[in-house]
Each structure stands twice: as C-alpha cells, then as structure tokens.
Amino acid sequence: MAASAIKKATTNIMSPAAMMIEPSDIEIPRINVVQKTSEIEAPFGSVVLDKQFVIAEPESAVPCVPVSVTKGWREDIPYDEDEVPRIAHSPEERDEIAKTSDYSMLEFADITLLFEKPDKTDVGAAYPFPIGDKLFALGRINVAKDAYRQTFKRLATFTLFNPETPPSSRVWDFTSSVISRGKYSWYAPSLTFSDKETSEAVQKFILNFLR
C-alpha cells in the first residue's frame, strides 16, 4: 500500500466520526488539592492533575479559564463512614433524598478548567491540547464546603451580575491556599477574577466543548 493511502486510511480510522465518539467517551482528568491524608505523592497543598502532574504549588496563583460547571447535592456522610452518599442533580431530587436521609444535604460542584502551559514546566505531558498557538491542560475538580464557596459561588456571583459576560470569556486565578481552624489546617482551592480576556481560539474551543 502506498504511503499516501496508508496515511489516508489512518486518518479516516482516527476521525471522530469513524470512531463513533460520544460525550460519554470523553475522559477529563481530575484535579486534586493534596491534603495530609491524600494518597498522592506530591507536596501538601499542591495542585495535581490526574494524580501525577503537579501543575501549581501551594499559595501560587496560576491562570485558568472556566469551561463548564455542574452543581449538585450529596448526603454529607462523614469521611470515615463506609457508606456511599446519594447524589441529587436538581432541587427536587435533593428534597426527595432529604426526606429519608439521616444526613444533611451538602452542595457541591464539578468545575472543568483549562490551564495554559507555562513557559517553564517539568510536566509538559500534562498539556496535550493545542488551542491557537498555545498548549493547554483540561481538568475537572469537585468542590464542596470552603472550596465550593471560594470557587462555584464566585463564578455564580460573577455570572448573575454580568449576564452578558460569561466567566469563560475571562482568565481567572486558581490558587490553593491554606485554611486553619483551631488545631486543624487544610488547603482549599479558590478562583479569583482578572480582567484579562481569553483568546478567540480559547472561546471557540469552549463553545465547541459545550455543544
């Protein structure tokens, strides 16, 4: 088979249509903020993508772009109890679970974020997505309690008072910061607005992602 024919056949096989790719086939790696009890080999407070790439140090802001947000509720079961919480994706489902639950219902959100590859990084493999003339990492973080307040609520507040300006049209600073209460301390993520606009290529990527 000629080289041109092999290239064409390979291209056809690896096209989205030929592979019959559906939204459920897309795997977005998790973002974790490392805690003292985390089973991730990374410094306490660092931001880790896919449990292997450190993409931000503690207390160090890195730019990101919000891509999508999904809000939900789950039973607030203590960490050390061997019970799987029931999850609701609407206020109606939340209220139904609450009727028969021994636990309160806890707000949470899954937030998908884009991180631009820094000029200097030891984890270049974490940024596999070319958008415009830059490379990006795509990750999803699950937030609740303080993390929910410092991320989802800030995005929600911005969206409510800026209905013509989607959060994804601006660059945000993502920071893992320490929180201390009494003898306990842990790290929680936060999102802080900046007035820097995202590139046209990034905005186009997000529009296609949300379809």
Side-chain angles (χ1 to χ4, degrees):
M1 184 181 291
S4 59
I6 293 174
K7 181 178 180 181
K8 183 177 180 181
T10 302
T11 301
N12 288 339
I13 291 171
M14 298 302 291
S15 70
M19 293 177 70
M20 295 184 290
I21 296 174
E22 299 178 340
S24 60
D25 296 319
I26 306 304
E27 182 179 39
I28 299 175
R30 281 286 175 185
I31 299 168
N32 291 99
V33 174
V34 178
Q35 308 296 342
K36 293 177 181 177
T37 57
S38 297
E39 296 181 357
I40 299 175
E41 293 185 6
F44 178 38
S46 58
V47 181
V48 177
L49 179 69
D50 202 21
K51 295 186 177 181
Q52 57 181 317
F53 303 116
V54 176
I55 60 173
E57 301 295 332
E59 308 291 348
S60 177
V62 292
C64 72
V65 181
V67 175
S68 67
V69 178
T70 302
K71 177 179 176 177
W73 295 263
R74 61 174 175 253
E75 292 176 292
D76 190 12
I77 299 176
Y79 180 78
D80 56 352
E81 290 193 18
D82 188 21
E83 190 173 348
V84 178
R86 288 178 289 176
I87 295 175
H89 294 289
S90 71
E92 292 77 18
E93 290 179 351
R94 175 200 62 197
D95 294 343
E96 283 300 312
I97 293 174
K99 289 178 182 178
T100 58
S101 178
D102 295 328
Y103 308 96
S104 60
M105 297 300 290
L106 178 68
E107 293 174 312
F108 75 90
D110 277 315
I111 304 175
T112 301
L113 301 166
L114 269 179
F115 295 87
E116 183 180 322
K117 181 183 177 183
D119 293 332
K120 295 181 180 180
T121 178
D122 296 328
V123 290
Y127 304 88
F129 303 111
I131 304 174
D133 59 353
K134 305 286 186 180
L135 289 171
F136 288 81
L138 187 67
R140 178 177 294 151
I141 188 168
N142 183 278
V143 292
K145 299 182 179 179
D146 289 300
Y148 179 89
R149 174 179 57 82
Q150 296 181 159
T151 56
F152 176 84
K153 284 194 172 184
R154 291 182 183 179
L155 292 173
T157 302
F158 177 86
T159 301
L160 179 63
F161 292 104
N162 298 276
E164 304 299 322
T165 307
S168 59
S169 68
R170 295 293 186 273
V171 175
W172 294 67
D173 286 330
F174 183 98
T175 310
S176 169
S177 301
V178 70
I179 294 177
S180 296
R181 294 201 179 106
K183 62 180 181 180
Y184 299 102
S185 63
W186 63 95
Y187 277 86
S190 66
L191 287 171
T192 305
F193 169 79
S194 80
D195 60 0
K196 181 181 178 182
E197 293 187 5
T198 55
S199 68
E200 184 177 340
V202 166
Q203 293 186 40
K204 183 178 179 181
F205 172 87
I206 293 173
L207 285 174
N208 289 332
F209 179 89
L210 296 175
R211 288 178 180 173

